[in-house]
Amino acid sequence: MAEAHQAVAFQFTVTPDGVDFRLSREALKHIYLSGINSWKKRLIRIKNGILRGVYPGSPTSWLVVVMATMGSSYCKVDISMGLVCCIQSYLPERCGPYQTPQTRALLSMAIFSTGVWVTGIFLFRQTLKLLLSYHGWMFEMHGKTSRFTKIWAICVRLLSSRRPMLYSFQTSLPKLPVPSIPATIQRYLESVRPLLDDEEYYRMETLAKEFQDKTAPRLQKYLVLKSWWATNYVSDWWEEYIYLRGRSPLMVNSNYYVMDLVLVRNTEVQAARLGNAVHAMIMYRRKLDREEIKPVMALGMVPMCSYQMERMFNTTRIPGKETDVLQHLSDSRHVAVYHKGRFFKVWLYEGSRLLKPRDLEMQFQRILDDPSPPQPGEERLAALTAGGRVEWAQARQAFFSSGRNKASLEAIERAAFFVALDEESHCYNPDDEASLSLYGKALLHGNCHNRWFDKSFTLISFKNGLLGLNTEHAWADAPIIGHLWEFVLGTDTFHLGYTDTGHCLGKPNPRLIPPQRLQWDIPEQCQVIIERSYQVAKALADDVELYCFQFLPFGKGLIKKCRTSPDAFVQIALQLAHFRDKGKFCLTYEASMTRMFREGRTETVRSCTSESTAFVQAMMEGSHMKADLRDLFRKASEKHQNMYRLAMTGAGIDRHLFCLYVVSKYLGISSPFLAKVLSEPWRLSTSQIPQSQIRMFDPDQYPNHLGAGGGFGPVADDGYGVSYMIAGENTIFFHISSKFSSSETNAQRFGNHIRQALLDIADLFQVPKADS
């Protein structure tokens, strides 16, 4: 009887005599260990909260101040200038622990020391915030740093030198400033001048002047008030109105993808590669929870805001009829896995112990070997997350709010992240140009029902061991997921490793509970909705043309010999390529970050400027001397760099106008100028992919350990989406998207124009280059 009771898990049965409970020792053991693990995390968070709250102070520094105060008292020197005696006079006499004069003196000195210590911390933070509000260093020429900036840099280094935790600098970061209305209007008109003829520009100038004089001052007052009250006057509205209120499919329109290392292969065993990657991700999450990750620092000394990292794991976008909601959990002990139309739940822990890579490999291999067929409606269930948001919200409420469907959906939505085990193989073959594009398409949308597009990210594993990510955009921007991905790829390659046969190191534990198959009861009415969402998603995916390529003639190394910013070089090349492709200029979006401010996300750099169009037109005319073209290029490059710096330092155009528009809607004020500005299509949307945020290895020693970056879908139906990664000194990866349904665009044609534009600009500087 005893053995039988131990073999039964935690169960209960309702009978006519009442409720019959049956417990097992194993179940109780796991519950106990899970509780212990939960309390450990709570204590770590409490400890981190205290250490972060007193940064740059520490218990040691407090003790030093106390000892200094007591030591000076012992030497008959009153460094408190009478404050200790004053504090002592307010302590009650002859009661409780204050019975002796010595005790009261010690307590008074401890209180005084604590006050000095707290005051020092406050002054440090305010001083650092003041220093970080200075951005003049960004506008100084390289190698021509002013004396003021040098002194500023020394002060910042001194104040940020102590080993910080991930969020140590958050309260020291300045708030994003609200630009003045005249400055924003002037920059806006300047940005659209090369795109409008004289008559169109006059009309826009009239609208802008009317807005500046009549409507804007009232809207600006509300915006300034919000900037005083809120941590960031842009970020919450940007998340809500740009992302969460969007009703179109996330797939292609919002989500973006990230590629694996493409020039090296660690293993071709699918389950093994996935075991290492998942283990590395949970290691990263543990560091994130403990705040052991170093904050990203510009120039190694200016801290970037880290708040977006908080929702990296255990986060799901929940659909709503009018607006979605981001659901974030403090912890999750499992991942949800999709394979051949079936959903599984895989535990990441055994009790309080994180599973080793070899154990995870075994669990994923069990799923790959499972021959069971999908349940009715299960195979294309994830297409609901790829279709319209309203349809998904209605289906979720009608069919997934109770019973086994609710339980299984919660297992997915409450997972740390989503894993897709694909049956097809992808790789980058430099001799087969289409291979990189096919790989990108698989990551961007898959087959429209094998990614859970609502999860913060889906880890995608192909049959030959290649990996990739599909990432939801509302919770964070690309540099955040890039930070995680660099850690995962570096840990997988240089720390975890594989056996000679390609398996994870170590021995598996065969007694682990197998992955749990999720159970569904999907009625035919719901299956019809799933099919409808699938058809919407498939039409969208089939319409996307994606062209990815590696530009080999040169990279960052030779661009710098042109004495220009690599980003400006590429952006001006994109303007030249676009004019050759379409015969006209267009409104161009380049994403820049505002993470030097608290809770900052992005700002727009309007890359199509009067200077860049002048250079492009001179190139097209073909009659200018190279010296003249070089001069025009340098002017365009300097203009672009200045605009990028302005955007990074809170003096951008578009986020300010966006927030003014939101305020106008709240107040019920109609503004023809704002309506016109916010309706202008971005027919060329661009983004540079960050890299080397973490130094996991020396790129000079391992030059082939290159990721190919990632990409996104076109923002406008008749436009292009371009992302690029300047990968080291000698190569650039491009990801170009457009729509087949547009007669004006062709991603491959535009890619060829980009190639030629880069070569033509390099030729102006007589930069030696390899064969294409």
Side-chain angles (χ1 to χ4, degrees), residues 171-219:
T171 55
S172 298
L173 294 174
K175 286 188 175 185
L176 183 68
V178 180
S180 69
I181 293 291
T184 297
I185 296 298
Q186 179 189 348
R187 292 187 189 113
Y188 171 78
L189 290 174
E190 188 180 321
S191 73
V192 297
R193 187 64 190 95
L195 305 173
L196 305 175
D197 59 32
D198 291 343
E199 185 178 343
E200 291 171 331
Y201 181 75
Y202 175 75
R203 285 201 299 268
M204 180 56 77
E205 193 176 35
T206 303
L207 284 175
K209 182 171 177 51
E210 181 184 358
F211 171 75
Q212 180 177 334
D213 294 340
K214 296 180 179 179
T215 311
R218 184 183 175 192
L219 304 181

Side-chain angles (χ1 to χ4, degrees), residues 248-252 255 316-319 324 343 380-389 391-393 395-396 409 412-413 418 445 448-455 458 470 472 529-530 533-534 537 540:
S248 59
L250 300 184
M251 186 193 79
V252 174
N255 286 26
T316 301
R317 181 166 169 168
I318 305 297
D324 293 353
F343 291 88
R380 292 183 175 177
L381 175 63
L384 289 171
T385 69
R389 304 304 293 170
E391 293 78 8
W392 174 205
R396 189 177 189 276
L409 181 61
I412 295 173
E413 292 180 341
F418 193 79
H445 53 67
C448 303
H449 61 76
N450 59 353
R451 316 275 182 260
W452 200 269
F453 294 100
D454 287 354
K455 287 300 290 183
T458 295
N470 183 286
E472 201 278 320
I529 297 172
I530 292 171
S533 292
Y534 170 71
L540 181 59

Side-chain angles (χ1 to χ4, degrees), residues 560-579:
K560 284 185 174 180
K561 292 183 178 179
C562 301
R563 295 184 180 180
T564 186
S565 153
D567 181 69
F569 190 99
V570 173
Q571 284 290 329
I572 296 168
L574 290 176
Q575 292 301 316
L576 177 57
H578 187 273
F579 192 87

Side-chain angles (χ1 to χ4, degrees), residues 713-725:
V715 174
D717 290 339
D718 58 348
Y720 292 110
V722 181
S723 67
Y724 53 94
M725 187 174 81

